[in-house]
Amino acid sequence: MRKLSLLFAGALMGASAMSLVYGAPGSAANAAGSETYKQLAIFGDIFERVRANYVTPPDDKSLVENAINGMLASLDPHSSYMNAEQAQDMRVQTKGEFGGLGIEVTMENDLVKVITPIDDTPAAKAGVLAGDYIAKIDGEEVRGLTLNDAVEKMRGPVNTPIKLTILRQGADKPIELTVVRDIIKVKAVKYRVENDIGYMKITSFTEKTYDDLENAIENIKKQVPNDKLKGYVLDLRLNPGGLLDQAVSVSDAFLKRGEIVSTRGRDPKDVTRFDAKPKQVDDIGGKPMIVLVNGGSASASEIVAGALQDLRRVTVVGTQSFGKGSVQTIIPLGENGALRLTTALYYTPSGKSIQGKGITPDIKVDQPLPPDLQGRDLTRGESDLKGHIKGADESSTGSGSAAYVPPDPKDDLQLIYAEQLLRGEKTDPSFPPNPDKAVLNQ
């Protein structure tokens, strides 16, 4: 059975997630020519004929939304229309906090299964445990609901109660729990200390990512004396992207100077450059760092990996990244939702576009699939998406690679290799990188 995992923020952005830049409502558009208006008249005629003659009465709103999305889908896979509800979900995802219970869930056997309760949240305090099955929500059977429907029912205003009926292994009868919703803050950065190495995993780029990263660095420094700390691993695998400004801030944390990324729009003069703030020392004191990427590393995570790689601040280990090098602008449409439109491509400091190409690791380390996944195609890449924008450096090889990370670090060959490099147990010409050999756009 295929399992889908969601946080109560709703589905976090998928592998084709986009970097986000918020635009202003009512952006100016060029006036269309007379031929264009003739085509629009054809659309109006067809719309009316469908409304009048289709075998069952169609929903007008649905017809219009699907027509709009059809137009946008013909442009590229990342441009789309979001109705008011979808636009609100997107804002919740990028904000990184929401009113809910605080559990990560999946759908299994037609029931909502709790993967894990988040520490110090209403669900954890009420006694919800990993492995619990939620059978009813406020007395309504979960069977027959989609995972999104169930998540939507469990989200809600802060300080409002919700009753969960839980099936738990070992319990002889269903357990009734009342949970009071609260503000849930999703950690965008998970971290731990591996003896003498600081490990940081960025799961997505929300409004809280940079703050979470700084907190992780501070806590790692407290746990390991500076003279004992060999370096850091920054794990960007399975990171689908998110906010462009957060990618810039994260990159800046590890740089003393230099260009991070530039974006270029339709007009050749429409170029925006983002640079690191000049400083004497970066936020990790110049310690060595390895960045991990795979086919699940997309968009904002590729901005970070590309900047740090081009400026020779880090060594990138893993497999080819997803290759999403486009920027989407979110244009609010008031009560009608928002338009997500591809408005630019981004370029690494060397001036290269990773659109349809991806970030090529300095050291390729493949991660074998477990027996239960062998034979499945887990490769993810922008170049495989129908209608994707052809990248300037895209080749027949394309972009992407397997998007798989073992749940147990003991089986994680890419992470093990990175730690061995940092400890000097393995050597490679690309580690440590030489900043004097930074590859810059001339």
Side-chain angles (χ1 to χ4, degrees):
M1 178 180 294
R2 182 170 177 263
K3 297 180 181 178
L4 301 177
S5 178
L6 295 179
L7 288 173
F8 279 160
L12 293 179
M13 293 160 284
S16 60
M18 66 296 299
S19 304
L20 301 175
V21 183
Y22 291 95
S27 299
N30 295 325
S34 59
E35 185 60 31
T36 301
Y37 285 114
K38 288 181 182 178
Q39 297 297 318
L40 288 173
I42 295 174
F43 169 77
D45 184 32
I46 292 173
F47 177 77
E48 289 302 331
R49 290 178 184 272
V50 169
R51 291 181 71 238
N53 300 313
Y54 188 66
V55 62
T56 58
D59 178 71
D60 289 359
K61 183 179 179 182
S62 178
L63 284 177
V64 172
E65 284 189 9
N66 285 314
I68 294 170
N69 271 316
M71 172 180 65
L72 295 170
S74 71
L75 300 175
D76 71 271
H78 307 297
S79 295
S80 64
Y81 166 70
M82 296 177 286
N83 59 32
E85 182 180 345
Q86 292 166 336
Q88 176 59 25
D89 283 345
M90 184 273 300
R91 285 190 288 271
V92 166
Q93 291 170 30
T94 57
K95 189 174 179 61
E97 63 180 44
F98 51 91
L101 309 183
I103 49 179
E104 187 178 348
V105 296
T106 188
M107 204 76 174
E108 191 174 294
N109 300 324
D110 295 326
L111 297 176
V112 173
K113 181 180 181 180
V114 178
I115 297 174
T116 182
I118 302 171
D119 291 340
D120 199 32
T121 61
K125 293 174 182 177
V128 177
L129 302 179
D132 283 349
Y133 287 89
I134 300 174
K136 294 181 181 179
I137 301 172
D138 279 335
E140 181 180 346
E141 291 280 352
V142 167
R143 292 184 189 276
L145 297 178
T146 66
L147 185 56
N148 278 326
D149 289 339
V151 166
E152 188 63 31
K153 287 182 178 296
M154 288 185 277
R155 290 191 309 190
V158 173
N159 295 325
T160 58
I162 181 174
K163 182 182 288 186
L164 302 179
T165 302
I166 288 174
L167 306 180
R168 180 175 297 166
Q169 187 174 6
D172 56 2
K173 62 180 181 179
I175 299 169
E176 301 282 350
L177 292 177
T178 297
V179 187
V180 179
R181 298 179 180 94
D182 200 353
I183 292 293
I184 307 301
K185 296 182 179 180
V186 180
K187 290 290 184 184
V189 180
K190 300 177 181 179
Y191 69 92
R192 64 178 183 266
V193 168
E194 297 277 1
N195 297 317
D196 51 1
I197 292 173
Y199 171 86
M200 302 176 295
K201 179 178 180 61
I202 301 180
T203 57
S204 62
F205 288 85
T206 70
E207 293 177 9
K208 301 186 178 300
T209 299
Y210 175 72
D211 290 341
D212 284 355
L213 177 71
E214 289 296 295
N215 180 66
I217 293 172
E218 181 181 343
N219 279 285
I220 289 171
K221 288 179 177 179
K222 288 178 180 177
Q223 294 180 49
V224 187
N226 188 59
D227 60 335
K228 303 289 186 184
L229 189 61
K230 299 291 188 185
Y232 294 80
V233 173
L234 182 66
D235 194 346
L236 298 177
R237 295 172 299 174
L238 304 183
N239 182 319
L243 298 173
L244 174 61
D245 65 335
Q246 290 291 309
V248 170
S249 296
V250 166
S251 302
D252 190 11
F254 305 113
L255 296 171
K256 294 192 291 185
R257 64 186 63 85
E259 179 181 326
I260 293 172
V261 67
S262 62
T263 63
R264 306 175 194 178
R266 187 160 95 181
D267 186 338
K269 297 178 182 178
D270 184 14
V271 178
T272 304
R273 173 174 162 162
F274 300 87
D275 295 316
K277 302 180 186 72
K279 49 179 111 52
Q280 292 299 314
V281 65
D282 62 42
D283 292 6
I284 58 172
K287 289 283 186 180
M289 189 164 77
I290 306 285
V291 169
L292 299 179
V293 299
N294 67 5
S297 307
S299 195
S301 57
E302 293 176 293
I303 290 176
V304 174
L308 300 179
Q309 182 185 54
D310 278 2
L311 296 175
R312 296 296 187 260
R313 175 61 184 91
V314 306
T315 298
V316 178
V317 172
T319 55
Q320 199 79 6
S321 67
F322 188 84
K324 181 183 176 295
S326 60
V327 180
Q328 282 67 47
T329 298
I330 303 300
I331 304 171
L333 302 175
E335 62 182 17
N336 295 317
L339 170 63
R340 176 168 44 198
L341 189 66
T342 300
T343 54
L345 296 177
Y346 68 74
Y347 295 78
T348 67
S350 64
K352 292 183 179 179
S353 166
I354 60 99
Q355 173 66 16
K357 178 178 175 60
I359 299 294
T360 301
D362 300 302
I363 305 173
K364 182 181 179 183
V365 178
D366 289 311
Q367 177 63 54
L369 297 178
D372 61 321
L373 292 179
Q374 288 178 6
R376 299 188 190 183
D377 184 10
L378 297 184
T379 301
R380 300 290 181 270
E382 175 81 7
S383 59
D384 295 325
L385 297 181
K386 183 180 179 181
H388 77 280
I389 297 172
K390 183 81 171 178
D393 298 311
E394 183 177 342
S395 67
S396 58
T397 306
S399 63
S401 60
Y404 172 73
V405 177
D408 191 335
K410 295 195 298 293
D411 302 322
D412 192 340
L413 300 189
Q414 295 166 339
L415 174 58
I416 291 170
Y417 196 100
E419 292 179 345
Q420 289 174 332
L421 280 175
L422 289 169
R423 293 187 177 118
E425 298 167 1
K426 282 189 181 293
T427 60
D428 190 277
S430 63
F431 182 81
N434 185 353
D436 294 333
K437 295 184 177 181
V439 183
L440 303 177
N441 188 23
Q442 303 298 325

